[in-house]
Amino acid sequence: MSASRPQVHDLRTGSSILSDRVKAAGRAVLAPVVRLAIWLRLTPNEVTVGGFVIVLAAAALVAVGQLLAGAALLVTGSLLDAVDGALARATGGTSAFGSFLDSTLDRAAEAIVYGGIVAYYLRVSTDPIGPVLLALAALAGSFMVSYTRAKAEGIGLNASVGLAPRPERLALVVAGIALAGIGFDIGLVWAIAIIALLAVATTLQRIWHVRRLVEAQERTTIGAESSREN
């Protein structure tokens, strides 16, 4: 993200599918890209918008059946989405508006990608109802994952937990599109079905996690009040 977050209480539970080691390796790979962006004097918001435009193009390619090209372009756009936050931290350019813009375009990009998948199935499938419903379920679940985190942060809590935050979902959808692009059509159907299931599981994990945090806060408050009374 390209802006600082509010102070939150943290009690992390539930690991995501991608390990911390994999994520650290990804950040190391992106370091030269961040240095290039600094050299080009790009702002984090410019990188955010550029990544969004690339994802738009990727979704359009998927919609017309150019799946491998769409998957490759989606990887590029997704990498830029990671670069903007790293660039903001490296240059001290974090801002509230940058965070708002990044989160907003993330949601829009996710919806557009699934829109491209729906358009693809409406074009090529003789019975697109199943894949289309799965894509809608994956999109709705993905939005719920993002909403639970945003709502938790709105009340001062950290809900960045669960099996499938955005990077994991992106990896699955890219893999599914690429598999369909090499002729393994069922791969994309399975990918969006897995995303839908994992998104529901992640939403439930975050609800449970926030409930634990709230109960812990309430116990602390009650304990503090009892101590003052004594």
Side-chain angles (χ1 to χ4, degrees), residues 76-100:
T76 303
S78 301
L79 290 176
L80 284 180
D81 182 59
V83 166
D84 61 1
L87 178 62
R89 290 188 292 273
T91 60
T94 59
S95 69
F97 175 73
S99 178
F100 169 80

Side-chain angles (χ1 to χ4, degrees), residues 33-43 46:
V33 182
V34 174
R35 289 194 292 270
L36 176 62
I38 293 172
W39 183 76
L40 292 172
R41 297 186 178 181
L42 296 175
T43 67
E46 288 171 344

Side-chain angles (χ1 to χ4, degrees), residues 67-68 177-187:
L67 301 182
L68 287 178
I177 292 170
L179 286 171
I182 61 174
F184 191 62
D185 295 332
I186 196 65

Side-chain angles (χ1 to χ4, degrees), residues 62-78:
V62 171
V64 299
Q66 299 297 317
L67 301 182
L68 287 178
L73 210 54
L74 183 55
V75 169
T76 303
S78 301

Side-chain angles (χ1 to χ4, degrees), residues 155 157 209-220:
I155 59 174
L157 302 174
H209 176 72
V210 169
R211 180 181 178 182
R212 289 181 64 230
L213 289 176
V214 171
E215 289 175 347
Q217 284 184 331
E218 290 173 347
R219 286 194 297 270
T220 300

Side-chain angles (χ1 to χ4, degrees), residues 130-153:
V132 167
L133 289 177
L134 283 175
L136 293 176
L139 176 60
S142 297
F143 273 26
M144 284 303 302
V145 170
S146 300
Y147 177 79
T148 50
R149 173 177 173 176
K151 188 63 177 178
E153 290 181 348

